[in-house]
């Protein structure tokens, strides 16, 4: 194992908690930080380091930011209690939220003013792979940033795509991934409910299509949630108006038409507007079912 590092993970949601646990399991001194005290306490009870972030910031070698969006990322780094001014020169920020490439570049520039390195490092793989240290990371940044973040990458990722030294390239690739992922979830929901109109039960849909050319990773991962009637949020509906909105913003700036993305975005907006925002993103199927007068599994 490489030399032990002092690492803070900010954001102990389904992805961040798994990443923090993987970093701690790799032998690094790891602080888990979240706005929810219960998540922090749980992490400490499992072996996470104790202490306030403000007290340990100057000793940190790396800060992994696993929050929901650009606004939260900026607040963590440069807000009223922003951590960047307290970090030592040469520490690295590994930013994992899905954000626009231009935002990532602006954060990197501001970090550089404090002598802090920045790795544009959005992640993919889900909470299970996060807990196993087996994520895919789409990363871009300077050689120095990669070197400083290597202990974190080694602990949390199965695959690291090194996309060059220009910050923003990682976020651009994540936008491409999210375009496909969001469209695939909406397409899965449409196909499953379409099948129901033809007498095809959801469980039969999963059994057959998962073995046929029409399958996708998102179908195989999310469709069973509908079959089980379990909408506990592994990834919530409200993630997608943000992420597909980022894709649409980038597309507009590139003068690129993205009609499939736009159609999927409308379905997630409809789901969110129907009060489903905090349910698992497979709940987009409820929009299709409602419009077709269908009853999904688990619904009375």
């Amino acid at each position: 194992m490489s030399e032990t590092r002092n690492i803070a993970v900010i954001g102990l949601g389904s992805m961040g908690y798994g990443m923090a646990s993987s970093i701690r399991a790799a032998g690094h001194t790891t602080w888990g930080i979240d706005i929810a005290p219960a998540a922090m306490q749980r992490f400490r009870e499992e072996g996470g380091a104790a202490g306030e972030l403000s007290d340990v910031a100057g000793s940190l070698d790396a800060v992994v930011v696993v929050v929901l969006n650009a606004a939260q990322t900026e607040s963590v780094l440069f807000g009223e209690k922003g951590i960047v001014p307290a970090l030592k020169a040469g520490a690295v920020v590994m930013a994992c939220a899905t954000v626009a490439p231009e935002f990532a570049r602006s954060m990197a520039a501001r970090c550089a003013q404090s002598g802090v390195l920045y790795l544009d490092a959005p992640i993919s793989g889900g909470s299970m792979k996060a807990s196993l240290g087996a994520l895919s990371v789409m990363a871009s940044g300077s050689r120095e940033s990669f070197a400083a973040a290597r202990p974190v990458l080694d602990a949390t990722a199965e695959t690291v795509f090194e996309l060059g030294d220009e910050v923003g390239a990682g976020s651009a690739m994540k936008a491409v991934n999210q375009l496909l992922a969001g469209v695939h979830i909406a397409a899965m929901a449409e196909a499953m409910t379409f099948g129901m109109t033809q007498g095809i039960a959801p469980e039969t849909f999963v059994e057959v299509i998962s073995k046929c050319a029409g399958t996708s990773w998102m179908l195989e991962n999310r469709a069973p949630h509908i079959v089980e009637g379990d909408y506990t949020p592994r990834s919530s509906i409200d993630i997608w108006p943000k992420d597909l909105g980022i894709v649409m913003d980038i597309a507009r700036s590139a003068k690129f038409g993205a009609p499939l993305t736009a159609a999927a975005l409308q379905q997630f907006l409809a789901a969110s507007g129907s009060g489903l925002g905090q349910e698992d993103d497979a709940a987009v199927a409820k929009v299709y079912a409602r419009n077709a007068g269908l009853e999904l599994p688990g619904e009375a």
Side-chain angles (χ1 to χ4, degrees):
M1 190 192 76
S2 60
E3 182 182 347
T4 299
R5 299 290 196 272
N6 291 335
I7 300 168
V9 177
I10 302 179
L12 296 177
S14 59
M15 299 291 279
Y17 199 97
M19 293 178 74
S21 297
S22 295
I23 294 166
R24 180 184 55 77
H28 301 293
T29 303
T30 310
W31 286 266
I33 308 298
D34 197 88
I35 58 173
M40 294 176 61
Q41 181 61 30
R42 176 188 165 201
F43 186 70
R44 289 175 183 173
E45 290 174 355
E46 293 177 355
E52 296 296 323
L53 183 61
S54 57
D55 294 333
V56 303
S59 70
L60 295 174
D61 300 297
V63 177
V64 187
V65 184
V66 200
V67 293
L68 290 177
N69 53 33
Q72 291 183 8
T73 299
E74 185 170 18
S75 177
V76 164
L77 298 181
F78 300 106
E80 183 180 348
K81 298 181 179 179
I83 193 170
V84 168
L87 295 176
K88 64 186 178 184
V92 64
V93 168
M94 180 170 152
C96 300
T98 301
V99 301
E102 185 55 41
F103 174 83
R105 287 190 283 269
S106 70
M107 291 298 98
R110 291 173 69 180
C111 283
Q113 292 174 0
S114 296
V116 172
L117 301 167
Y118 185 97
L119 192 69
D120 178 26
I123 53 180
S124 182
S127 58
M128 183 62 71
K129 286 194 173 183
S131 67
L132 296 173
L135 291 170
S136 294
V137 180
M138 293 156 271
S140 61
S142 67
R143 290 183 181 179
E144 293 79 8
S145 297
F146 272 105
R150 189 62 60 188
V152 177
L153 296 170
D154 288 345
T156 59
E158 182 177 57
T159 306
V160 179
F161 296 100
E162 299 191 14
L163 300 171
D165 58 5
E166 292 294 328
V167 168
S171 287
M173 186 60 73
K174 181 62 184 295
V176 173
N177 181 78
Q178 295 308 87
L179 184 162
L180 287 165
V183 168
H184 285 175
I185 293 170
M188 173 278 295
E190 184 169 314
M192 178 183 282
T193 49
F194 167 66
M196 291 174 67
T197 70
Q198 303 305 302
I200 299 171
E203 59 268 26
T204 303
F205 169 90
V206 174
E207 178 185 2
V208 174
I209 299 301
S210 64
K211 302 297 190 294
C212 295
T215 194
S216 68
W217 189 93
M218 281 299 189
L219 184 151
E220 293 177 27
N221 185 267
R222 300 302 205 269
H225 300 175
I226 301 171
V227 172
E228 295 158 8
D230 180 7
Y231 298 98
T232 303
R234 291 80 162 180
S235 173
S236 71
I237 286 286
D238 277 347
I239 292 293
W240 294 101
K242 173 185 75 74
D243 286 7
L244 294 183
I246 289 171
V247 173
M248 293 303 298
D249 288 343
I250 296 170
R252 278 191 291 271
S253 69
K255 296 182 173 58
F256 178 83
L260 297 180
T261 305
L265 174 57
Q266 289 305 309
Q267 294 302 101
F268 286 110
L269 286 170
S272 183
S274 299
L276 304 174
Q278 294 306 304
E279 294 193 15
D280 188 83
D281 50 25
V284 72
K286 294 182 180 182
V287 174
Y288 288 97
R290 180 193 64 211
N291 292 342
L294 299 169
E295 188 174 292
L296 295 172
E299 293 185 339

